Amino acid sequence: QSTWEAVVSTQSTWEAVVSTQSTWEAVVSTQSTWEAVVSTQSTWGQMDNEFGHIVTPVAFNVGLALKSEDYELSAGYGCPEVNGMKPGGAVRMSTVFPVLCDASNRRRSGMLLFNFRPKGKRKPKGGAVKVGASHDDICGIPHTTTRDLAVPEAEHYSSLAIRKAILLVRYTDFVKRYMGERKGANDRKMRGLKKEFVAFYASFEKEATAIGDPTLVATEIVQLKEIAAGDGIDLEAGGKKRPREEGGPDLAALQKLKVAELRKRLDARGLGTKGKKAELVERLSAAIRAAADSAEPPKKKQRLVQGEEAKTFQCPITMEIMDDPVIAADGHSYERKAIAQWLSN
């Protein structure tokens, strides 16, 4: 009650928020946005129990750097400042906020993911890399720490939470690229995109099953199926017995091909040619399997994303399909420029 009074009982504050017609319309005239803000019980719970966590930083001028002769940071995920980092550079964040845990010591958010890669054409030695972190506390006192991170030889996850987060990053990157490249794509390009979609769906479903989180099935897999249905993509193509095409996708034979030849064959199919050799081999193999499953389905006229499918990718501020989505502290996704402008004003 006291928090609510502090927010809305002051006449000047209330007028600043709702007396401007355009602002008011932007916030509450859209039913879905209004429901997300005030009619959900969890939102009020956040205001009652987490208000201090949301508005009070615990660290300032946070820095993170990879100290290695072999590797460099290439990408980051989890907050706007991390998402916008430059490959090869250090990470800088102006503030970091605390995250409330529930009774089982589970956190709803707060994870930052970083991808690092070998420097140039240097062949990594493996072993461990040093990660240095620094920050100023709430009293302005600086702190620094360095830790050694082991570089595993094979794919490895220290927890299911990290495994799920990485899967969601891959999902977001793929859907964003797919939605962008399909705009104005010709028939040849669209066939290639559909094959990639089938391969990605199969890998995502397999990983989601391994993680065992039902929310992945209820949300991301449902969204993938909606997109596939709209674009006439047969997702079952990834689960049938796959006859060979021209001898079949002989993985050993594909692995013997040079990168230039792999890219040539991928380009001929209208598929992406970027990535390491292992990625190119997997992409070409998936395309060969998909092509051998069945004949191309009847072509359908491409349509814009609309209806319930569109709401999934809409920014609550602009009410348009997001091109550069980010997740804010409230757990909702927004167009980067829109939420940045909204916060600055």
Side-chain angles (χ1 to χ4, degrees), residues 248-258 262 265 277 281 284-285 288:
D250 188 338
L251 193 58
L254 293 179
Q255 290 173 340
K256 293 179 181 179
L257 296 176
K258 294 183 178 180
L262 289 169
R265 296 191 182 189
K277 182 174 181 179
V281 169
L284 181 57
S285 176
I288 293 175

Side-chain angles (χ1 to χ4, degrees), residues 14 29 101 113 126 205 291 336-337 343:
W14 181 245
S29 64
C101 297
L113 293 179
E205 188 177 41
R336 181 192 298 275
K337 291 183 179 178
L343 290 172

Side-chain angles (χ1 to χ4, degrees), residues 63-126:
L64 185 72
L66 198 64
K67 301 178 180 179
S68 171
E69 295 181 356
D70 299 320
Y71 296 97
E72 64 183 4
L73 291 173
S74 59
Y77 307 87
C79 74
E81 290 173 301
V82 170
N83 296 348
M85 65 165 290
K86 294 181 179 180
V91 179
R92 304 298 303 180
M93 292 177 283
S94 56
T95 54
V96 170
F97 292 83
V99 178
L100 188 66
C101 297
D102 64 12
S104 302
N105 199 35
R106 296 178 301 181
R107 293 182 291 272
R108 184 180 64 252
S109 62
M111 184 183 299
L112 300 177
L113 293 179
F114 297 95
N115 191 9
F116 61 94
R117 65 189 181 191
K119 290 182 178 178
K121 297 182 179 180
R122 184 191 299 268
K123 186 176 181 180
K125 300 177 182 178

